[in-house]
Amino acid sequence: MPISDKKVGLVLGSGASRGWAHIGVIEALEANGIKISMIAGASAGSFIGAAYAGGGLQKVKSFALEMDWRRVLSFLDLAFPRSGFIEGKKVADLIKLYTNITNFEDLPIPLAMVATDMYNAEQVVFTKGSITEALRASMAVPGVLTPKQINHRWLVDGGVVNPLPVDVCRNMGADIIIAVDLNSERISRDVKSSRDAVWEHNSKQIENTRLEVVKTWVERYGSTGKSVSTRIDQWFSTSESSPHIFEVLGSSINIMQHKIELMNRIAHVPDVLIQPRLGDMKFFDFDDAERAIQEGYHRAEEAIPDILERLK
């Protein structure tokens, strides 16, 4: 039986690999009998929101816990760096595997996803049509994943304009809004990169993956592939002391999103704010899912008394 007749809206913020924490948050809410009436998400939050609303959350959790650095790389279909380093076709395939329902209209829990029109800076909210298409746009991190064209508009990651779409959820009719902010510690923690440790620990695995990627490009593109393979060698190199290009992009985007969130929360204040402490978790730490899920669960557990009080 539901605790209250009040409609609870769940806002799942953007945050790349830290998005796994959303799984733990949802599990904690469910364990305490809190029914989620609607979901609004951006980027990684859109993915987890779609998986939950479509009945595929446990499959996503199993997938996340089985992730290692090799599997992460297997979803990076490198593109010529015109619109982004990753083409995104494999990401789209991944989305299809873990969203059991094709269209928004068929979801048992109303869902909204946020993307950004890259030319006019407008927020684009998806609530109808193809879930896969909307997700691909909402997750298109600028410079990393190529933009997605929908209805003659080039769309990128929703976190560019609204990394924590509280206003979107409020407009859906929520009485109480629980928002999950994944960027609260991103620019306040001076912690050695966990990615450095992963690359050192898995250096042999990374080297094998590098060779596979280079071989594929040479076979596919001939002499052009040989030239590109030289660049790939540089991307995978662990000898440089300067930050990796994906780390530069990821860190810059995280800073931007954190600043935007702070400004947005002045105008659109959630009733309950959950902030998993994952400040040392980097953009591509998708293989660190267990820690992220547990942290999301623990932070949500701390918020349960406040949520229950508001539901009375």
Side-chain angles (χ1 to χ4, degrees):
M1 294 291 292
I3 297 174
S4 168
D5 291 332
K6 293 181 179 179
K7 295 180 180 179
V8 176
L10 181 63
V11 178
L12 302 178
S14 60
S17 63
R18 296 182 302 282
W20 296 137
H22 291 318
I23 297 174
V25 171
I26 292 171
E27 289 183 335
L29 296 177
E30 284 198 323
N32 287 275
I34 297 169
K35 180 183 177 182
I36 299 169
S37 303
M38 61 201 68
I39 303 170
S43 198
S46 293
F47 177 52
I48 299 301
Y52 177 64
L57 188 67
Q58 287 306 308
K59 289 197 298 183
V60 169
K61 181 180 180 180
S62 297
F63 168 79
L65 293 175
E66 294 170 359
M67 285 287 278
D68 56 24
W69 185 227
R70 188 183 185 88
R71 291 196 73 184
V72 172
L73 291 175
S74 71
F75 286 99
L76 307 185
D77 45 348
L78 298 177
F80 285 111
R82 175 179 170 84
S83 300
F85 283 101
I86 302 170
E87 186 65 37
K89 292 180 180 178
K90 290 186 178 180
V91 173
D93 291 339
L94 175 65
I95 291 169
K96 292 177 183 177
L97 287 175
Y98 297 104
T99 49
N100 295 342
I101 296 175
T102 303
N103 295 312
F104 283 91
E105 294 87 342
D106 299 323
L107 291 170
I109 301 175
L111 172 67
M113 297 181 197
V114 175
T116 304
D117 187 312
M118 63 176 288
Y119 287 114
N120 61 22
E122 285 183 358
Q123 172 176 277
V124 179
V125 180
F126 291 97
T127 58
K128 298 179 180 179
S130 169
I131 292 174
T132 302
E133 293 288 289
L135 265 176
R136 178 60 181 79
S138 183
M139 296 172 65
V141 179
V144 179
L145 202 63
T146 55
K148 177 66 177 177
Q149 188 178 40
I150 299 178
N151 295 330
H152 307 293
R153 307 176 79 174
W154 284 103
L155 305 178
V156 293
D157 195 300
V160 172
V161 291
N162 200 352
L164 194 66
V166 173
D167 56 323
V168 174
C169 196
R170 191 75 73 185
N171 291 337
M172 294 171 73
D175 298 313
I176 297 173
I177 291 183
I178 303 168
V180 187
D181 168 24
L182 302 177
N183 295 305
S184 60
E185 291 191 335
R186 283 300 298 134
I187 60 175
S188 61
R189 296 284 293 273
D190 183 18
V191 182
K192 177 177 172 58
S193 170
S194 59
R195 172 54 54 221
D196 292 343
V198 172
W199 280 58
E200 181 178 353
H201 180 71
N202 294 328
S203 58
K204 183 176 180 181
Q205 185 179 77
I206 293 170
E207 172 62 14
N208 291 336
T209 303
R210 181 191 68 79
L211 292 173
E212 291 175 7
V213 173
V214 169
K215 180 182 178 182
T216 299
W217 274 78
V218 171
E219 290 177 348
R220 186 178 299 177
Y221 300 110
S223 59
T224 302
K226 291 180 181 179
S227 176
V228 174
S229 69
T230 302
R231 293 295 181 186
I232 294 173
D233 280 342
Q234 295 174 359
W235 293 350
F236 282 91
S237 173
T238 59
S239 61
E240 297 292 333
S241 58
S242 60
H244 192 274
I245 186 170
F246 286 140
E247 186 64 18
V248 173
L249 287 168
S251 181
S252 300
I253 291 168
N254 286 328
I255 292 170
M256 174 196 70
Q257 291 181 344
H258 177 69
K259 295 295 185 181
I260 293 172
E261 278 184 19
L262 291 178
M263 292 185 292
N264 285 356
R265 288 212 308 267
I266 294 174
H268 308 289
V269 183
D271 298 289
V272 179
L273 182 63
I274 298 172
Q275 296 178 302
R277 299 170 185 173
L278 297 168
D280 60 328
M281 193 167 177
K282 304 302 179 184
F283 192 88
F284 275 98
D285 285 353
F286 290 102
D287 53 334
D288 204 6
E290 183 174 4
R291 180 168 69 98
I293 293 171
Q294 290 178 351
E295 175 64 13
Y297 191 97
H298 293 324
R299 296 301 145 230
E301 278 276 290
E302 292 176 350
I304 294 299
D306 186 17
I307 297 170
L308 294 177
E309 182 65 26
R310 293 174 182 276
L311 287 172
K312 289 182 180 179

